[in-house]
Amino acid sequence: MKLIKYAFFTIICLTLTNCNTEKHEFPLEKRYWDVNDYDDAILELRFGYKDDEKKPTFDNSEERIIVQKLTDEENFKIVLKDKELGLKHRNDVAIEFFDHWKDMHQIYQEIDRKDKYLYDIEMLAVWQYGLSLQLDYFKLGNERIKESADDPNSSRVKKNIESNIGILISNYTIYLDEINDENAFTNNGKIKLAEGIDKYFTQLIELYPDADYSGMKRKAELMLKKSESDKIKASLAKLIELIDSKQKIEAEE
């Protein structure tokens, strides 16, 4: 009788243990995630974790791959840069990825009682994924505007494209707002924030060298005065210098 009771108690314990250690499922076996995979992954990361349960991070050797997959730019580039696919199809996929990215922003936003980000590296990785995505998203959108227009060279088309580029620049400028919360980042977080400025803002300006960056420059100048991080300040100074160099070339032409 005691053996039966012991066995029954063991079964109960195992059942409870299995419930508490239930695995989160992600399509990790896939080389690239499509928009449907992002549907499932974002839903799991946003709502599938308990309040006191730590989410996947880069410094967790077992779960690192989840964040890497989530923020892998090749997931969208493999489709958006494939010129064998139709422009309308690629533009539609870009819109879906963009919508998913907006939802991804909610995953790693938690702040502790000391006003520090709990997941600053992961949050910035999501941010930078979006910066890269937007370069393709707006480029394809503008190409689609030209393709569907009766006169691709009309003033109306040019105005719409210029407006979209202006929105893109404004979206990038929002990234600089993170410097206002500089103290919420770890030292590694500040370095990663600066690396995002170095890499993606340079890509933006190289892609649209003739665009109006006056608002971005003003923001960068204000953040340069406010920041206490040498790494961030150096990146801001380089950004301002790059904008000035493009304006100088444009003036000489």
Side-chain angles (χ1 to χ4, degrees):
M1 186 67 177
K2 289 182 179 180
L3 289 174
I4 294 174
K5 287 182 179 180
Y6 178 77
F8 180 69
F9 178 73
T10 302
I11 291 172
I12 293 175
C13 289
L14 288 173
T15 302
L16 291 173
T17 301
N18 288 336
C19 289
N20 290 333
T21 59
E22 182 179 355
K23 297 290 184 181
H24 299 282
E25 294 186 2
F26 299 93
L28 301 179
E29 74 287 350
K30 297 186 67 173
R31 174 64 184 89
Y32 303 109
W33 282 4
D34 59 26
V35 290
N36 293 321
D37 296 321
Y38 271 89
D39 273 335
D40 296 335
I42 293 170
L43 184 65
E44 183 66 27
L45 287 166
R46 288 191 63 187
F47 304 109
Y49 283 72
K50 298 178 181 178
D51 291 341
D52 60 347
E53 186 178 8
K54 189 174 182 180
K55 292 178 180 176
T57 57
F58 285 115
D59 60 7
N60 184 314
S61 59
E62 293 182 0
E63 298 185 331
R64 179 188 304 127
I65 188 174
I66 298 171
V67 197
Q68 290 173 333
K69 286 284 190 181
L70 182 73
T71 57
D72 186 355
E73 297 172 18
E74 290 302 314
N75 289 330
F76 60 81
K77 288 184 183 294
I78 195 69
V79 178
L80 305 190
K81 291 188 177 298
D82 186 352
K83 294 187 178 180
E84 294 297 316
L85 299 173
L87 177 58
K88 182 180 183 302
H89 172 72
R90 287 185 288 146
N91 186 60
D92 289 343
V93 173
I95 292 172
E96 290 187 84
F97 269 108
F98 184 75
D99 288 340
H100 282 80
W101 172 63
K102 289 188 289 186
D103 290 334
M104 286 165 62
H105 261 297
Q106 306 302 316
I107 298 172
Y108 289 110
Q109 291 288 333
E110 288 100 324
I111 294 177
D112 65 17
R113 295 180 184 179
K114 296 182 179 180
D115 295 334
K116 304 288 185 181
Y117 281 116
L118 293 175
Y119 306 102
D120 61 340
I121 302 297
E122 293 73 27
M123 186 269 287
L124 287 169
V126 170
W127 237 123
Q128 292 167 16
Y129 170 96
L131 293 178
S132 179
L133 171 61
Q134 288 184 77
L135 294 179
D136 290 322
Y137 170 75
F138 279 91
K139 185 173 183 292
L140 288 169
N142 288 338
E143 289 176 1
R144 179 63 180 155
I145 289 174
K146 287 183 178 180
E147 182 184 70
S148 59
D150 293 340
D151 180 6
N153 298 313
S154 69
S155 59
R156 180 180 179 183
V157 168
K158 291 180 179 178
K159 184 176 181 180
N160 286 339
I161 291 175
E162 288 177 359
S163 175
N164 284 340
I165 294 173
I167 293 172
L168 172 61
I169 293 171
S170 294
N171 289 350
Y172 262 61
T173 304
I174 293 171
Y175 179 81
L176 300 181
D177 280 335
E178 294 294 345
I179 301 171
N180 283 314
D181 296 319
E182 183 179 282
N183 291 332
F185 292 91
T186 61
N187 287 333
N188 286 336
K190 293 172 186 176
I191 291 172
K192 188 167 182 64
L193 197 163
E195 289 173 346
I197 298 172
D198 293 338
K199 180 178 180 180
Y200 298 102
F201 282 63
T202 299
Q203 291 178 5
L204 170 68
I205 295 172
E206 293 297 334
L207 185 60
Y208 301 109
D210 300 327
D212 181 6
Y213 294 98
S214 57
M216 178 181 287
K217 180 183 175 183
R218 285 195 296 271
K219 182 73 172 183
E221 289 171 338
L222 290 172
M223 294 299 99
L224 181 60
K225 294 177 181 178
K226 185 172 184 178
S227 177
E228 296 179 355
S229 165
D230 290 338
K231 183 66 176 177
I232 292 175
K233 290 167 71 174
S235 296
L236 289 169
K238 284 190 290 185
L239 172 60
I240 294 168
E241 183 180 356
L242 180 59
I243 293 173
D244 285 341
S245 68
K246 295 299 180 182
Q247 291 177 337
K248 183 178 179 181
I249 293 174
E250 185 177 359
E252 290 175 349
E253 292 177 349

